[in-house]
Structures are given as structure tokens and as C-alpha cells.
Amino acid sequence: MDDLVRRLLHAQVMLVQMRRVVSQVPGTPSKRLATSTREECGIIDQILSIARTQTPDPEHLKERLTALYHADATTQRSGKEWVRWLAWERGSASYRERRGVERLLHVTFHELAACIPTLVGLYGEQETKYIAPVEYRPQTAREV
Amino acid sequence: MAWDTERTDINVNSQGDVEKWVYSTCNICSIGCGCYIAVNGNRIVGIKGNAKHPVNRGRLGPKGENQWHANNSADRLLTPLLRDSDGVLRPVSWDNAMEVLVTRSRAALHRFGSEGIAIYSTGQGMLEDYYTIAKIGRAGLRSHLLDANTRLCTATTEWCLLQSFGADGTPAGYEDIDVTQTLMLFGHNVAETGTVLFERIMARKQKTGKPYIIVVDPRRTWTAQAADLHLQILPGTNLALLNGITHLLLKHGWIDRDFIANHTVGFADVEQAVRDWTLERTAKETDVPETQIAEAARRLGTTPSLVCTTLQGAYQSVDATATCIAINNIHLLRGLIGKPGCGPLHMAGQPSSSTNRTVGGVGSYPAHRNPSNPKHLQEMAELWNVDAARLEIGAEKDIEYFVDKMERGQLGLFWNIHTNPMVSLPNRLRARRAFERTFVVVQDCFLTETCEVADLVLPTAMWGEKEGLMENADRMINVCEVAVNPPPGVRSDFDIFIDYARRMDFRDKDGNPLIQYTTPRECFEEWKRVSKGRPCDMTAMTYEKIKEQNGMQWPANEAHPNGTPRLYQDLVFHTQVDDAQTYGFHMKTGRARTRKEFEALGANGRAILYGLTYDPPAEQPSAKYPFWLTTGRVVWHWHTRTKTGRAPALHMATSQGYVEIHPDDATLLGILPGELVRISSPRGNITVPARIVDTIRPGLVFVPFHFGSWQEHQAANELTVDLVDPISKQPVYKQSACRIEKVRQHHTVAHGETFGRIAERYQLTPEQLAKANRMTPPYRPDVGSHLEIPSMANPVSPPYMLYRKLDLFPHFRLANLDPKEGE
Ligand code: SF4
């Protein structure tokens, strides 16, 4: 659980930074990404407060974790769109902002992906599939 | 039946009598016209409409009656092709091709796991093909990466229905259009995209004056010209308009409070969301006169019956799903659903795109099962006799997700079936770069533009050469029979899938082959078992019965043995948590809802109303790109012209791309009719002739997206933004920014050259040359002066209504409601 908390806190820092960058640029993609990061941060707060209770309710935690992973899937998608859009809007002058947001997205994604073993420990592999979309889960080689 | 009269349209080109007429269904658009295929000596020689079919009573549109030419095209693919080490596609045997497909599939699964293979299919196949894709993809490959070009076409239909009503399936049908008092065609240019339905609407209109027709479209299309009220909206403001209209419905009390209380949840959210959408604000945002908005609201608010249709003007725009939900909201607020002449009819584009959604080749699990509901997954596992753990969980993935994976080198194999993404995907140059990083399989009848990036090409049978079922836009299942044998060397899609499953050795949990059916009819029997008890129940259908009835609308089961023309007559919606096809998305963030969040809505059989937030398009005209760009179809062609481009009449009618420019803009830029111009966006540029028309708004240009040859440089999708709707993930093709530039040579006037000679040399008229140089008579350029020389083409596209004698021609005038215009 400690590892989960630590990673979520780190992801939250990334999301706050991302929001700071995108809020400098007016436009619908910025608004969407800001909304999504704000929601994701809020969900992390909810998870942290559940995790900090003496006996966390596993079902409540699972439900909020499900919301978190889906919120991040939205952030990842909106973030990639934002990066493409900014390149069209501002060209090469926006390189630093775009790279910055790409990095923040990448770190956030990997923090959530790195929490999967903890989730599997808490809920088992099958239940974890309902929490985290496929892209966050490690893919095992398949022989057919 | 809608039509008073039959009219059997026939297009036959045969040396001798037609040997037989074979029962079929048009394979072009989603209207679903019944037809017979003319056969002479194992060759398709024509087509005629099915006079008894309720959809068309014998009528066919220009695309429908010319579709058979492609079957006989000399450039049909007749052998599989494999790209060799020199980068050249070379013929190989079927055995070789299938082994390559299997070897590559295994390698992709080995390297990337189940996320290593993506299947991207179509809206033009058969129900049995799609169901087999669903089974192979989900239970065989265990993948979630199943999408189709339906993403570009009708994903928004699906998602607006899921969000509002809990399951796919459009509530109203064509029969409702026949009796409704008011019809709103929202972003739906039915005159060009669904010609027979347009005739059906106008046949009644001419006779009775009904329905009152409202059209919302930034272009004054043929449909708009037939409307009583045309709202020529500013691009990207669909939701603003609907929020404004909803505001007026609430303000004037044009709502059914009992219906809202008994059959919906979420009303307070709607009230809150539209509170500030005053008439003034809406008019300002949409650039539609207040009087027209007020009249539209009054009509929608007081009509006793209403059908609203939507198509790409809604689906391929910003706020796509929200727009279509806003239309559902209007029906729910007024209680105009589930009764004759009432309900939203969110259209489909392609002839069987709805089929693909219904049977799970794309979207959720088969028969409207929720991929996030363990109960539904367990049902599927039992029906397929596989472990539930083997089935992937969670919402579907889409083509943009695939492109992103390809860009990152994370996709081992991309299997492309009957679609041409190198012409149809937005920002196609980016897509091309991504495709080049993956092993691409193209399954098609022709060497399409996508074959340019293919590693393996599998040639297939076409319509008329294979058997199967298709579902049209109003849930009607229709039969396509085999008219002729496919040419030697090609196989049906169904055969390819069955062979692939066998070679991949997919098995169920008892060790038996996963796929045990061997014919489309056996497959349909299995599908019927899968559909039992679900919204799209087809247990009462058989091939024979469908043919006998000329189509059946689902659900067709014990309770409704002859099918169901209209959904939700009992006003019970699919929003019980274990009935719903999805838990849905949050409209504000685009995030998938959890089960608990869905339960918290408390819908339990009631429809869901949403408060909706308008967001303007991401890309808007700027100093560098000062025009709006929108894309779309012309009446003569379908999609990327793989079939229609091979029909002589259709090809001759419109053989090249063009751009429509308003006369004011053309004058400002000094562009001549027919002159070649360069259209650029931040993503690329194309060169096309200009059509100067006053049917388009000033500041907006229109480019048809059909023309995508790599050589000719006319592909609209070299310009479009690859941004998508946050809920349906449908691309926003309709709103990009662009710039228009003249593409002119320069000529220096020499001694002895006359103006007329110079014009003649460049195949121009003196008037054209003078106009291009803004000269007035007498035209006497000085020696040594420079003249601009435009390049001209002829982009005229004739209106199809003149094509033959018709029952009617629309000649209704737009209600002139703007006092300023009236003055
Ligand atoms: S309206 Fe559509 S289904 Fe009917 S003939 Fe035309 S293309 Fe075919």
C-alpha cells in the first residue's frame, strides 16, 4: 500500500505540473486536458484518504481506483491530442511545452502501470482487469 | 407502406436476356434498399429495385444502380500478394498467404501479447463476417483491438444511444418518418447520401405538405434547399444551437413534465446547463438569426410528433456525442419517443455498419453486452465455451489508439478488412508513417491506396458473390444472396476467417475448435443463440423469413415474431445496471463511469438526460489559416470510390476532387471558377479546382473526401485534424482551418504577342486571362509586363435529379424568417 500511495502522490505532482503548462494556452484541447487532470487529481485525493484510514474499505478503494485508471486513460489521450494540436497552433516555438507535457504524461502513465502488482496483490489478477485498462497491465507473450 | 406507388429502377447492360434475377440488398449506403441482381452466364449484368421491399418499393439511387460495375472491373485482385524483400508486392498462393498471416500473427502475439494484433474492419461486410471477427478477435486472439471504419462513420450513433437509453439501436424507423409532423435533419444531407430515403420523404411532402422540415447544415445542400427552415449554422456550433433551443423549450414550458418525471433522470442537469443559453447568446455563437432559432424551437416545442435524424454533420463535428445526446434530450423532454412518428433516428453511413456494432465485431461484446460487466462476460464465456478469464475487459479501443500504438512500434500486425484508411483517416500522412511501422494485411477486392503500405494482400469476393445478412440504419436485417461465383482466385471474407481460425488452432475449453460452423447460415444460427434475450434478439428470424418479409427489424423473438419497427413503445429503457450495454462516460470529462457511478444515476429503466457543455472546435481559422475547412460526400460517390469510381456513369459524373468556395471569398482572392488552387492546413496541402458556389457560407470551404490517389494530390484527409470526440472517438473531420492560394504560372509578354494569343497558348479564354489579372478592356498588356496564368479544370458535378425522369422534384422554398433578409 505504501508503494501505491507514493506512486500516486508522484503522479499527482505530474498532473498538477501538466495543468500549469496547459493553462497557459487557451483553447478547447487545453480545457479538456485541464479538466481531466483536475478530475484525476481529485480521485487521487479520494484514494489517499481511503488508504489513510485504519481499515480501508477494499470495495470503495477498488471503485475509486477504477475511476482513477479510466481518468488517466482520458488524460493520456487528451494529452497526446494536446501535443499534436499545439504543434499545429504554434509550430516549433512550442517544442519545450510539448516535450514537457509528453514527459509528464509518460511519468504519470508509468507510475500507474507500476501500481498494477500492488493491485493484483490486493484484488487478484482477474479483478485487476476490471480496474485498469489493458494498456496499464503487463502483457505476457502468448503462444498460440 | 410509405410509398403509394412502385417504381422499379433498372440498370442492365446485357447482350441477350437476363437469365435470372437474384434477391439481394444494396451494398452501398445504410438506407438498405432491396434489389435483384441481373445475371447472364455467371456474370452480373445489372440490377433492379425490389418493388415489394418496404424501404424503396423498387427505387434505387445512382450509386445503388451502378454498384455492379465494380464486380466486372478488369482490375479485380485475383491472387494474394506478398511484399518481397525488394519492397514489391508479388503474387503468392493462398496457402502461402495464409501461412504468412498465421506466422506473423503468432510472432505478434509472442512479442506483444494479446495487444499485438489489431483488426480494423468495415461497415460493408456481412453479419456472419462480423460475428466471426468478434469470436476470433475476442475468444481466439483475446484482443480488445477490434475496430472498424464505422468509427469514422457511426461510432457517435452508438454512443449517443448508449448514453441516453443504455443500449444501441435507433428508437425510430423510416415508418416514423412517413407519419411524423416534423422532421429535423441535423447535419444530414440525405439528398446526396441516402437518395432513396430523400425521395421517400419528398414524395409525402409533395402530396401532403408534411412533414415540416428543418435542416441544420452550414452548406445550403440539396436537402437544405428542400427544407421549410434551414439553419445555416457556423461550423462547430451544433451543441450551442441545441442548448439554445432547449433553453427556449424550458422557457416556454414546451416540455412534458409527467414524461420527464416518470421516464427520465437528470432533468436538473439539463436545466442548469441551458440556463445561460439565451436566444441572443445562441444567435451570436451560431450566427443563425434569432428569428430562425426561435421558429425552430417553437416548431420542435409544439409539434405533436417529431423525428430527428443525424449524420456526419453531427457525428464528425466537435461535441459529436453531446450534440446527438442533446437531440435525444429534446425527444425526452417532449415525451416524443416510442410512439408513431416519434423518436430520434440516428443514421448509419455504410450498408452494414450497424450490423458490425450489433454483433460485436466492433464496439462492445456481441448482442449489446457490456465489456465491463462480469455477468455479461460470463454469459459470453458460456456461449462460446471458453474461460471467462480469457475475455478482455473494459471499453473498446479505437483506430486512433491503434495508430498511436503503431507510431510507438507496439503493434505487430494490423489486419485491414474492406476499408481504405490511407484515404479515409484524418491527417493521413501521419497515419501513413504509423502504418509503415507495422505488418499490414489488406483484405480487399482491389488494389486500394492502402495497399501502398500493405505487406500482404488478400483478394476477396464482392457483393453478389457471397451470402450473408446486413442490418440497415433502422435495424432492418436484409438478405444478400449469391448471384454468381466469385472469380477464380478470390475467397469470401467468411472463408478467410474460418481458414484463419483453423490454422491458428483456436480451441474452446473442451479442446474443440473454437469455430465449428462452416457456412454463413450455420453461423447465423449460432448468432441467434447469442442474441437471445438481448435488445437485438433475432431468434425469430431465418433467412427464408427475412426474404419472405423483405427484411425484418430486430428485436424479432417470440413476443415480436415479425420484428419491431419502433423501439421503446413500453417506455422502458435499457438502463438497469445488468441490462445496460455500458456504464457510460461522464460527459464533462470523457472518463468511463464505474458501475457504482452508473447505479448512482438511479436510471433503472428510465432514460438519462444530460446537461451538456459546449466547447468550440479545437482548430479555428487564424491569420495564417483564415478559412474553415469542411469535408463530405457527393451524390455520385461512396467513401474512397473503391466501387463507385469503377462505375463509368459515376466516374464520369465526378471524376476528380474540388473545393467549393463562396463567390465573396473567390472575388476577394481573385480566384476563377475552375481554377486550380492549393488548399493548405497545418498538416499538408492539396491542389484542386475551385467550384464557386453560393451554397456555402462565406469563410468556409468544402472538399469532398472521396479522392485520395497518392499521385493526384487531392485527398481532403491530408488536411483534416486527427482529433476525436471524447466519447465516441469519432474524428472531427468537419472543422479544420485552411488557407487558399492560387497556383499560377507567370508569363512575360514578348514583342508581337497579342493578348488573345497568350490566352490561347494556355488554353484560356481572353476573359479568363483578363479576370485572372484583374484587367479591364481593352486588354493590351505592355511588352515585358508579367501576366499570371491560372491552370483550369472542369470540376462541374451534375445534380442527379436531372439524371432521369422522377416522380417529383423538390421545389419548396426556405421559410424566409429573417426580417433583414426579407427587406
Ligand atoms: S439509397 Fe443507398 S441503399 Fe438505396 S440504392 Fe442508393 S445507395 Fe443503395
Side-chain angles (χ1 to χ4, degrees), chain A residues 28 31 39 63-64 67 71 74 77 80-81 84-85 88 129-130 134-135 137 139-144, chain B residues 106 109-110 113-115 141 374 389 392 397-398 404 504 589 591 594 597 615-616 618 683 722 724:
Chain A
T28 294
K31 184 185 158 201
E39 188 196 32
E63 193 272 334
R64 286 294 81 195
T74 305
R77 179 182 276 273
K80 285 172 185 169
E81 287 205 340
R84 287 205 298 282
W85 167 76
W88 304 328
K129 288 188 191 172
Y130 286 95
V134 62
E135 61 268 29
R137 291 182 252 128
Q139 291 296 301
T140 46
R142 289 229 359 246
E143 306 300 336
V144 179
Chain B
R106 291 204 170 111
L109 293 174
H110 180 75
S114 292
E115 281 248 295
L141 297 170
E392 190 47 87
K397 300 299 183 191
D398 62 295
D404 180 61
M504 288 292 285
T589 60
R591 192 244 310 161
T594 64
E597 287 168 333
D615 283 324
R683 292 151 294 278
D722 46 347
V724 302

Side-chain angles (χ1 to χ4, degrees), chain B residues 392-603:
Chain B
E392 190 47 87
I393 289 159
E396 73 223 40
K397 300 299 183 191
D398 62 295
I399 182 67
E400 169 53 34
Y401 180 87
F402 301 172
V403 170
D404 180 61
K405 272 180 86 72
M406 287 192 248
E407 276 181 324
R408 291 183 287 113
Q410 293 292 312
L411 195 66
L413 188 143
F414 180 81
W415 189 350
N416 181 85
I417 300 162
H418 288 297
T419 181
N420 192 5
M422 286 298 100
V423 180
S424 56
L425 284 183
N427 193 2
R428 77 156 171 178
L429 297 180
R430 169 183 170 232
R432 179 175 179 149
R433 288 191 293 274
F435 276 53
E436 283 171 346
R437 305 199 59 188
T438 304
F439 188 85
V440 175
V441 181
V442 170
Q443 187 166 313
D444 211 308
C445 322
F446 297 98
L447 268 182
T448 62
E449 287 82 355
T450 303
C451 291
E452 190 84 5
V453 294
D455 298 284
L456 177 66
V457 180
L458 305 175
T460 55
M462 295 180 71
W463 165 88
E465 300 165 355
K466 57 186 180 181
E467 182 179 53
L469 301 171
M470 297 196 300
E471 176 188 333
N472 76 349
D474 78 341
R475 292 175 287 100
M476 181 178 276
I477 302 290
N478 286 299
V479 177
C480 295
E481 291 187 342
V482 178
V484 296
N485 297 324
V490 313
R491 297 172 70 176
S492 73
D493 299 297
F494 185 80
D495 284 350
I496 293 170
F497 299 139
I498 299 289
D499 189 18
Y500 178 73
R502 185 182 58 77
R503 288 173 190 254
M504 288 292 285
D505 200 25
F506 294 136
R507 301 215 163 243
D508 67 14
K509 67 180 178 190
D510 296 329
N512 295 317
L514 178 68
I515 295 187
Q516 297 185 16
Y517 51 77
T518 56
T519 66
R521 285 178 188 236
E522 286 172 15
C523 173
F524 184 56
E525 290 306 310
E526 178 174 315
W527 155 253
K528 280 160 59 179
R529 290 193 291 277
V530 170
S531 76
K532 190 174 168 54
R534 296 298 302 155
C536 55
D537 195 331
M538 295 187 199
T539 45
M541 294 186 189
T542 62
Y543 266 59
E544 291 71 25
K545 194 168 163 190
I546 298 166
K547 184 175 166 185
E548 196 184 293
Q549 294 194 13
N550 287 305
M552 290 176 74
Q553 286 164 287
W554 59 255
N557 48 20
E558 248 175 32
H560 306 279
N562 293 321
T564 310
R566 183 178 310 106
L567 295 183
Y568 305 123
Q569 304 209 61
D570 56 1
L571 302 179
V572 177
F573 300 91
H574 296 291
T575 52
Q576 295 284 355
V577 70
D578 281 328
D579 182 22
Q581 192 178 342
T582 173
Y583 301 139
F585 284 96
H586 282 276
M587 291 307 298
K588 279 205 172 71
T589 60
R591 192 244 310 161
R593 284 190 294 236
T594 64
R595 180 183 174 98
K596 201 169 156 203
E597 287 168 333
F598 182 78
E599 283 173 325
L601 294 171

Side-chain angles (χ1 to χ4, degrees), chain B residues 170-441:
Chain B
T170 198
Y174 302 155
E175 282 185 23
D176 292 303
I177 291 185
D178 295 336
V179 295
T180 192
Q181 296 293 312
T182 304
L183 174 65
M184 177 157 76
L185 300 157
F186 200 104
H188 181 193
N189 180 11
V190 62
E192 295 199 64
T193 56
T195 48
V196 171
L197 180 60
F198 181 64
E199 276 197 60
R200 179 166 166 169
I201 296 165
M202 298 314 293
R204 174 173 168 233
K205 176 84 174 165
Q206 193 184 47
K207 242 176 125 179
T208 66
K210 288 176 182 166
Y212 184 87
I213 299 175
I214 302 172
V215 169
V216 179
D217 200 311
R219 298 165 63 215
R220 201 169 77 249
T221 58
W222 297 340
T223 312
Q225 289 170 42
D228 296 283
L229 177 59
H230 172 206
L231 309 181
Q232 195 164 9
I233 192 169
L234 195 67
T237 60
N238 289 341
L239 184 58
L241 176 69
L242 290 165
N243 274 347
I245 286 174
T246 308
H247 172 96
L248 292 174
L249 297 186
L250 299 190
K251 181 177 163 184
H252 293 289
W254 290 326
I255 56 172
D256 183 338
R257 289 199 179 269
D258 287 345
F259 185 95
I260 294 167
N262 294 327
H263 303 294
T264 71
V265 294
F267 179 62
D269 294 340
V270 179
E271 274 187 309
Q272 163 82 23
V274 303
R275 187 161 295 149
D276 298 334
W277 280 96
T278 59
L279 188 54
E280 301 72 39
R281 179 180 172 198
T282 309
K284 194 163 166 242
E285 206 75 61
T286 59
D287 198 26
V288 175
E290 286 182 21
T291 44
Q292 290 191 8
I293 298 169
E295 177 61 7
R298 188 183 71 76
R299 288 279 173 179
L300 295 170
T302 57
T303 181
S305 57
L306 170 69
V307 173
C308 294
T309 68
T310 53
L311 197 62
Q312 307 309 351
Y315 305 160
Q316 295 179 343
S317 285
V318 68
D319 298 318
T321 310
T323 295
C324 296
I325 289 174
I327 285 169
N328 296 341
N329 280 353
I330 290 174
H331 280 276
L332 294 168
L333 292 170
R334 295 250 21 245
L336 298 178
I337 190 167
K339 52 189 181 185
C342 292
L345 203 179
H346 300 291
M347 296 294 296
Q350 299 172 83
S352 64
S353 53
S354 317
T355 333
N356 206 348
R357 303 198 314 258
T358 302
V359 304
V362 63
S364 54
Y365 269 87
H368 303 158
R369 286 186 172 85
N370 181 352
S372 299
N373 186 334
K375 183 172 172 276
H376 288 191
L377 267 84
Q378 187 56 40
E379 282 172 12
M380 279 319 306
E382 283 165 19
L383 285 159
W384 284 344
N385 193 32
V386 295
D387 279 334
R390 183 160 146 174
L391 302 177
E392 190 47 87
I393 289 159
E396 73 223 40
K397 300 299 183 191
D398 62 295
I399 182 67
E400 169 53 34
Y401 180 87
F402 301 172
V403 170
D404 180 61
K405 272 180 86 72
M406 287 192 248
E407 276 181 324
R408 291 183 287 113
Q410 293 292 312
L411 195 66
L413 188 143
F414 180 81
W415 189 350
N416 181 85
I417 300 162
H418 288 297
T419 181
N420 192 5
M422 286 298 100
V423 180
S424 56
L425 284 183
N427 193 2
R428 77 156 171 178
L429 297 180
R430 169 183 170 232
R432 179 175 179 149
R433 288 191 293 274
F435 276 53
E436 283 171 346
R437 305 199 59 188
T438 304
F439 188 85
V440 175
V441 181

Side-chain angles (χ1 to χ4, degrees), chain B residues 37-111:
Chain B
I37 302 173
V39 177
N40 208 353
N42 197 40
R43 190 177 163 86
I44 295 178
V45 293
I47 189 170
K48 71 174 178 186
N50 175 351
K52 301 287 171 247
H53 201 285
V55 167
N56 57 319
R57 296 286 309 273
R59 288 144 182 94
L60 293 172
K63 295 182 282 280
E65 67 182 16
N66 281 288
Q67 64 190 298
W68 58 275
H69 287 283
N71 287 66
N72 299 327
S73 183
D75 62 345
R76 284 282 299 268
L77 279 171
L78 299 175
T79 176
L81 303 168
L82 179 66
R83 199 171 291 280
D84 68 10
S85 51
D86 297 333
V88 179
L89 285 171
R90 296 202 192 278
V92 290
S93 70
W94 267 104
D95 197 42
N96 198 340
M98 292 305 291
E99 273 314 304
V100 170
L101 177 58
V102 166
T103 308
R104 283 294 189 154
S105 299
R106 291 204 170 111
L109 293 174
H110 180 75
R111 179 152 177 228

